Amino acid sequence: MSRRLRSVRARATLGATLVVAVALVAAGTAVLLSLVANLGGQAGAAAERTAREVAVQLAAGQPYGALSLDDDDSPVQVVTEGGTLVAATEHLERITGTGTAAVRPATASPAPTAPTPTPSAAPSPSGPPGPTGDDDASDEAGDDDTDDSSDDDSDSGGGGTLRPGEIGEDTVFRDGSATVDGDTADYRFAAVEVDTGDRGTLTVHAGAPLAAERSAVRTALTVMLIGFPLLLAVVAAVTWLVTRRALRPVEGIRREMAAITASADLARRVPEPGTHDEVARLARTTNETLAALQSAVERQRRFVADASHELRSPIASLRTQLEVGAAHPDLLDVPGAVADTVRLQRLAADLLLLARLDAGERPADGRVDLADLVRETAAGRAGVAVDPEPAGPVEVAGSRGQLERVLANLLDNAARHARSAVTVSVRREAAGGGGDGGGEAGPVAVVAVADDGEGVPAADRERIFERFVRLDAARSRDDGGAGLGLAIARDVAVRHGGTLTAGQTPAGGALFELRLPIAP
């Protein structure tokens, strides 16, 4: 189980599920908060509307008993500044959240009535009737009441002084509960102040039920609690299946690579899917790697077989000569034994150099004058001429010993196949100048070795650079060659950032051109 959880498919599925879960929780929380805020705002607006409707009635002088308080869905309380309940919904049994727990008015307040006409006083003998002392007192009392009400309004706070008949602009919201006609529910209460003049400043508490909000939130929460796990299960299943389908070619590649490793058959290839995605590119790259590995192994096998074959002949010849010399000392061919020993020594040196080149040995950092190196290498060789003579030094970067080996191999090869003369020359060329090795980034030095022999057929001008390859004509004429000279020469040229190609002279002979970048 733990091994399966460590798979790419399991980690991808777990990661996708966690990301979706976090997103769903965040989205669900935002939806719930928005729903609560919107529905709570609607309940508050309804409560405020009911409170202001009652406040309007009070401001108009409506008696307490005549107020519209018969809506059981909106419990209402009317209290004085001192907190005395003066009016309430008829079936209200209990209430919290308004600051006043009373549900019935303590005493019935006398309702204001319109003034009734009184019999006119008898005309005074002294003049027409006029205002009496009682009337004056009544007016003064009325004025005193108005002033007290105003004073009370100014002292009561409430966001400012209210004038008689004015309704306060500020609304205070609170959450609470109420029991109306035996049904208990939660409410959003709105408190609004109104100045009634003769009855002072009153506060109207009106509530709107929160049942719709609570029900909507519970429904949404239930849907989320049921739907989110189902959605996460779907996401996990889809991710698992999609990842499994995407990784199926990778598993096929792994199985085939395991089979190739077990069978050691490098000719087999992994299946390449028909898509153009990363997995297809992985399969193509794997097959290219297998092809390169197969080529390297086959090349190594041929190299070992050819080396064994090349070593067998001189060793057998030397052994025969030594056995004959041991039995008949007077018949010992000392010069032949020395020649075979020298041949073995050269072959071992060639094999060692190829092994170092295959291991990626980099040439030594140095500056080599090719013109001087050509003159030194050609000196003392019969039939080899430097033509034309270099006009000045032609310096390249690299190992003098390895470059000298290249020139020696080229000159030896040309001498074996020439009829009478070998010509070597050194020149400079601009970037990308002439020949198959053109295209260098900077100026190059070109060493050309030509002979007047039969030349190299066009079909064999690349094959002769393979290891242990000798053409039929070379096999009949070669004296002690192993077919490694040109292979070594090209490998050294490539390690120095250059090229070595075979061509044909105007007279039909072989032409080998070594191109190396000029040292900066």
Side-chain angles (χ1 to χ4, degrees):
M1 185 64 180
S2 60
R3 182 178 179 182
R4 176 172 295 183
L5 291 177
R6 290 196 298 266
S7 65
V8 175
R9 189 191 318 171
R11 291 198 299 268
T13 302
L14 181 60
T17 305
L18 288 178
V19 170
V20 174
V22 172
L24 289 178
V25 170
T29 303
V31 168
L32 289 178
L33 292 177
S34 176
L35 184 63
V36 170
N38 290 335
L39 294 179
Q42 293 178 9
E48 182 181 8
R49 184 169 56 252
T50 301
R52 291 191 178 277
E53 289 176 356
V54 175
V56 168
Q57 298 177 26
L58 291 172
Q62 191 81 9
Y64 298 138
L67 297 176
S68 300
L69 306 179
D70 55 353
D71 188 359
D72 292 343
D73 290 336
S74 300
V76 178
Q77 281 183 319
V78 181
V79 298
T80 63
E81 289 182 292
T84 302
L85 179 67
V86 295
T89 300
E90 180 179 0
H91 298 99
L92 182 63
E93 300 175 3
R94 186 183 64 84
I95 190 169
T96 60
T98 61
T100 301
V103 295
R104 290 289 179 269
T107 56
S109 301
T113 56
T116 55
T118 56
S120 300
S124 171
S126 61
T132 64
D134 293 341
D135 291 337
D136 293 340
S138 175
D139 292 340
E140 291 177 0
D143 292 341
D144 292 342
D145 290 343
T146 301
D147 293 341
D148 292 342
S149 175
S150 299
D151 293 341
D152 291 340
D153 288 340
S154 63
D155 294 339
S156 61
T161 303
L162 298 178
R163 296 187 299 273
E166 184 180 5
I167 300 174
E169 296 181 357
D170 296 335
T171 304
V172 179
F173 295 96
R174 293 178 181 175
D175 290 340
S177 63
T179 301
V180 181
D181 199 14
D183 295 331
T184 302
D186 295 329
Y187 291 87
R188 172 68 53 84
F189 291 101
V192 177
E193 291 186 347
V194 57
D195 192 326
T196 59
D198 56 346
R199 289 175 290 183
T201 300
L202 302 177
T203 301
V204 180
H205 297 278
L210 295 175
E213 175 194 5
R214 301 287 192 269
S215 176
V217 171
R218 283 194 299 271
T219 301
L221 186 59
T222 302
V223 170
M224 292 179 184
L225 291 177
I226 296 176
F228 283 5
L230 294 178
L231 182 59
L232 290 177
V234 172
V235 169
V238 171
T239 305
W240 179 271
L241 294 177
V242 171
T243 308
R244 178 183 179 184
R245 182 178 181 85
L247 294 178
R248 186 177 299 166
V250 178
E251 179 61 22
I253 294 174
R254 187 202 64 79
R255 285 197 300 265
E256 186 64 23
M257 288 297 294
I260 292 173
T261 303
S263 63
D265 183 7
L266 295 178
R268 300 174 62 172
R269 297 293 182 267
V270 300
E272 294 186 16
T275 58
H276 299 282
D277 54 6
E278 293 80 358
V279 177
R281 291 196 293 271
L282 172 64
R284 286 193 294 271
T285 303
T286 303
N287 285 334
E288 292 173 359
T289 303
L290 289 173
L293 182 60
Q294 180 185 11
S295 176
V297 170
E298 291 178 352
R299 182 179 179 183
Q300 187 70 19
R301 289 173 178 172
R302 288 197 305 269
F303 178 80
V304 172
D306 292 338
S308 301
H309 177 74
E310 293 295 334
L311 289 171
R312 185 184 304 141
S313 297
I315 290 176
S317 175
L318 182 60
R319 177 182 178 181
T320 301
Q321 295 178 34
L322 292 176
E323 289 177 349
V324 171
H328 306 282
D330 54 332
L331 298 179
L332 179 61
D333 184 9
V334 176
V338 172
D340 287 339
T341 304
V342 171
R343 182 182 177 187
L344 283 174
Q345 183 181 5
R346 290 178 179 175
L347 183 57
D350 289 344
L351 294 176
L352 180 59
L353 178 57
L354 286 174
R356 292 204 308 266
L357 293 176
D358 288 341
E361 178 181 305
R362 297 178 60 85
D365 294 332
R367 300 174 72 90
V368 181
D369 183 3
L370 284 182
D372 183 56
L373 185 62
V374 165
R375 282 191 292 265
E376 291 181 3
T377 307
R381 292 177 180 267
V384 177
V386 180
D387 185 27
E389 282 288 338
V394 182
E395 291 187 339
V396 297
S399 169
R400 182 180 181 87
Q402 291 185 6
L403 293 178
E404 183 178 2
R405 182 66 177 276
V406 172
L407 290 176
N409 287 355
L410 293 177
L411 292 176
D412 290 343
N413 180 76
R416 282 195 298 267
H417 296 83
R419 292 190 179 93
S420 60
V422 175
T423 303
V424 58
S425 63
V426 182
R427 68 180 186 273
R428 290 172 175 265
E429 280 189 0
D436 296 335
E440 290 83 357
V444 295
V446 181
V447 178
V449 178
D451 62 62
D452 58 354
E454 296 179 359
V456 182
D460 296 325
R461 290 176 184 171
E462 281 298 317
R463 195 169 69 90
I464 58 175
F465 292 105
E466 297 179 5
R467 299 174 182 181
F468 299 105
V469 170
R470 288 175 293 179
L471 303 183
D472 293 338
R475 289 184 181 275
S476 63
R477 299 182 55 188
D478 225 352
D479 185 14
L484 293 176
L486 294 180
I488 292 175
R490 170 167 277 191
D491 284 351
V492 172
V494 171
R495 296 293 179 186
H496 283 73
T499 60
L500 177 61
T501 57
Q504 188 175 14
T505 64
L511 173 64
F512 290 88
E513 289 187 333
L514 171 65
R515 297 174 181 273
L516 298 173
I518 296 291

